[in-house]
């Protein structure tokens, strides 16, 4: 069987090498935020503190009521300073003020990607 490497190479070169999608879902906290927002009504607004509590519980594999203040504070700072700004820049989330978060216009793409990944693992 003869392979035409040039044809295959050209088609591969035309594919996107944009890694932004993967940067947005590379860490557990960002995936948790997206998944959590996916469980809420499409027009729901959440506070940063709510997202931080959920992230802390998931990261520590604890029920929400067992998350201590130190674990929550660590998650809150990271969510507020890194994760929400990154997801807002990528339009996955929209930030209305310092602490009010909703789904962004690109949210459906990211939740669909995570749902597809989850279905392959289950």
């Amino acid at each position: 069987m003869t392979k035409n490497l040039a044809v295959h190479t050209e088609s591969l070169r035309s594919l996107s090498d944009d890694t932004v999608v993967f940067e947005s879902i590379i860490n557990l906290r960002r995936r948790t935020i997206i998944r959590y927002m996916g469980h809420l009504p499409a027009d729901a607004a959440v506070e940063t503190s709510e997202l931080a509590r959920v992230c802390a519980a998931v990261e520590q594999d604890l029920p929400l009521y067992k998350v201590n203040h130190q674990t929550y504070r660590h998650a809150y700072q990271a969510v507020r300073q890194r994760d929400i700004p990154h997801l807002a820049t990528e339009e996955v989330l929209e930030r209305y003020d310092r602490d009010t978060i909703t789904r962004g216009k690109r949210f459906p793409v990211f939740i669909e990607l995570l749902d597809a990944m989850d279905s392959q693992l289950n």
Side-chain angles (χ1 to χ4, degrees), residues 30-47:
R30 290 180 190 160
R31 290 191 308 272
T32 299
I33 291 169
I34 294 167
R35 285 178 175 128
Y36 181 71
M37 295 292 291
H39 288 293
L40 302 175
D43 61 347
V46 298
E47 300 295 313

Side-chain angles (χ1 to χ4, degrees), residues 3 6 11 16 18 23-24 28 40 42 45 47 50 56 66-67 70 79 85-88 91 95 104-105 107 115 121:
K3 295 179 183 177
S11 65
S16 172
D18 186 8
E23 289 173 13
S24 296
L28 175 61
L40 302 175
E47 300 295 313
E50 181 178 343
K66 285 193 173 185
V67 172
Q70 181 179 357
V79 164
H86 177 87
L87 293 171
E91 299 178 322
R95 205 176 198 172
K105 73 178 188 177
F107 182 86
D115 287 347
L121 297 174

Side-chain angles (χ1 to χ4, degrees), residues 30-96:
R30 290 180 190 160
R31 290 191 308 272
T32 299
I33 291 169
I34 294 167
R35 285 178 175 128
Y36 181 71
M37 295 292 291
H39 288 293
L40 302 175
D43 61 347
V46 298
E47 300 295 313
T48 303
S49 59
E50 181 178 343
L51 294 175
R53 285 204 179 285
V54 169
C55 288
V58 170
E59 290 167 6
Q60 296 300 313
D61 194 21
L62 294 171
L64 202 54
Y65 71 91
K66 285 193 173 185
V67 172
N68 66 34
H69 183 72
Q70 181 179 357
T71 302
Y72 162 75
R73 256 343 259 172
H74 174 76
Y76 180 84
Q77 289 175 345
V79 164
R80 188 165 173 266
Q81 293 174 0
R82 286 191 307 266
D83 300 308
I84 290 173
H86 177 87
L87 293 171
T89 298
E90 297 308 319
E91 299 178 322
V92 179
L93 300 178
E94 195 165 322
R95 205 176 198 172
Y96 283 97

Side-chain angles (χ1 to χ4, degrees), residues 1-4 8:
M1 183 160 127
T2 307
K3 295 179 183 177
N4 186 340
H8 297 303

